[in-house]
Amino acid sequence: MLSILTSQGFPKSIAMTILSELGDRTFCVAAILAMRYPRKSVLLGCLVSVIATTIISALLGWAAPTLLSEKWTHHITTLLFFGFGLRSLWEGFTEDDDDNEELEEVEKELEKDLKTSAAKSKAISKEDENLKKQHKPFLTRFVSPVFLKAFSLTFFGEWGDKSQLATIGLAADEDVFGVIMGGVLGQAICTVAAVLGGKSLASRISERLVTILGGFLFLAFGVQSLLSPS
């Protein structure tokens, strides 16, 4: 356990995850859902989702050297870090100063979804409602709909985003268990902060500043990876 915590993968994964997730789309989703639904269900759904995506991503990175040579995996990871770093800096320095753009976009989408669900509920008659209760979706028999909503929105929001791809690259180059533990801890910190802080916290986070800091961090990882032996 101590060797995992002292490996480079652990602190790298924590720092990368926090700077990638603070104020991003899934952070805003968790914050807004926590304002509308029971926080416990939202928190649990989001946490299970981010833990699952972190483990899947790390395992994909761990398996990469078996598909490609270790040398090529190292080179691809290095390019990935430089690419993410330059892209983040470009976005941070060139995009508008509206730090709440992501939050507003997510809020509009969730509001639209809520109105659509409400309209459908009004259109359902009492007989249909009773029939619906008798034939509930399989998963809702075991977990709450709020949990499923939080899980699905977070899972599909994380899939294919910058933090997931970076986790894959990091796990391909560092100790996979350290990357998993660091990623899970970083995701948990961000998720708990989003759920407890809600919209007020999400609106105060400077997405531009976090993006710029994340860009420099990715570049630092790229330089370190470039200088380390493949």
Side-chain angles (χ1 to χ4, degrees), residues 66-188:
T66 63
L67 303 175
L68 300 170
S69 68
E70 189 172 338
K71 181 179 179 180
W72 275 106
T73 303
H74 179 79
H75 291 331
I76 291 172
T77 300
T78 303
L79 290 175
L80 196 67
F81 286 144
F82 277 117
F84 283 148
L86 293 174
R87 179 186 171 186
S88 296
L89 290 178
W90 174 263
E91 291 175 351
F93 285 117
T94 60
E95 288 187 352
D96 296 334
D97 292 333
D98 186 5
D99 288 327
N100 295 329
E101 183 179 355
E102 188 79 66
L103 179 64
E104 292 169 0
E105 182 181 337
V106 171
E107 193 169 19
K108 286 179 182 178
E109 289 182 9
L110 291 178
E111 190 68 36
K112 183 179 179 181
D113 181 59
L114 192 64
K115 288 180 179 179
T116 303
S117 300
K120 288 182 179 179
S121 298
K122 289 181 180 179
I124 296 176
S125 64
K126 288 186 177 180
E127 291 182 3
D128 292 334
E129 188 68 33
N130 292 331
L131 187 63
K132 186 178 178 182
K133 288 180 180 179
Q134 294 175 4
H135 300 282
K136 291 195 301 182
F138 179 75
L139 288 176
T140 57
R141 299 177 185 179
F142 304 97
V143 293
S144 72
V146 175
F147 172 91
L148 289 177
K149 189 180 187 73
F151 177 89
S152 59
L153 286 173
T154 304
F155 186 86
F156 292 110
E158 287 289 332
W159 200 256
D161 82 342
K162 183 169 59 179
S163 63
Q164 188 197 30
L165 296 176
T167 299
I168 293 174
L170 196 60
D173 224 25
E174 302 288 352
D175 177 63
V176 65
F177 294 108
V179 173
I180 289 175
M181 290 187 65
V184 167
L185 182 57
Q187 291 278 15

Side-chain angles (χ1 to χ4, degrees), residues 16-74:
M16 177 201 70
T17 301
I18 291 177
L19 287 178
S20 296
E21 295 298 324
L22 272 180
D24 85 333
R25 185 176 186 81
T26 51
F27 185 93
C28 295
V29 165
I32 295 172
L33 287 179
M35 294 173 58
R36 299 178 177 177
Y37 303 104
R39 287 184 175 182
K40 185 177 180 180
S41 297
V42 172
L43 179 61
L44 190 59
C46 291
L47 281 178
V48 172
S49 180
V50 295
I51 289 172
T53 53
T54 299
I55 293 174
I56 292 171
S57 303
L59 291 178
L60 287 174
W62 172 73
T66 63
L67 303 175
L68 300 170
S69 68
E70 189 172 338
K71 181 179 179 180
W72 275 106
T73 303
H74 179 79

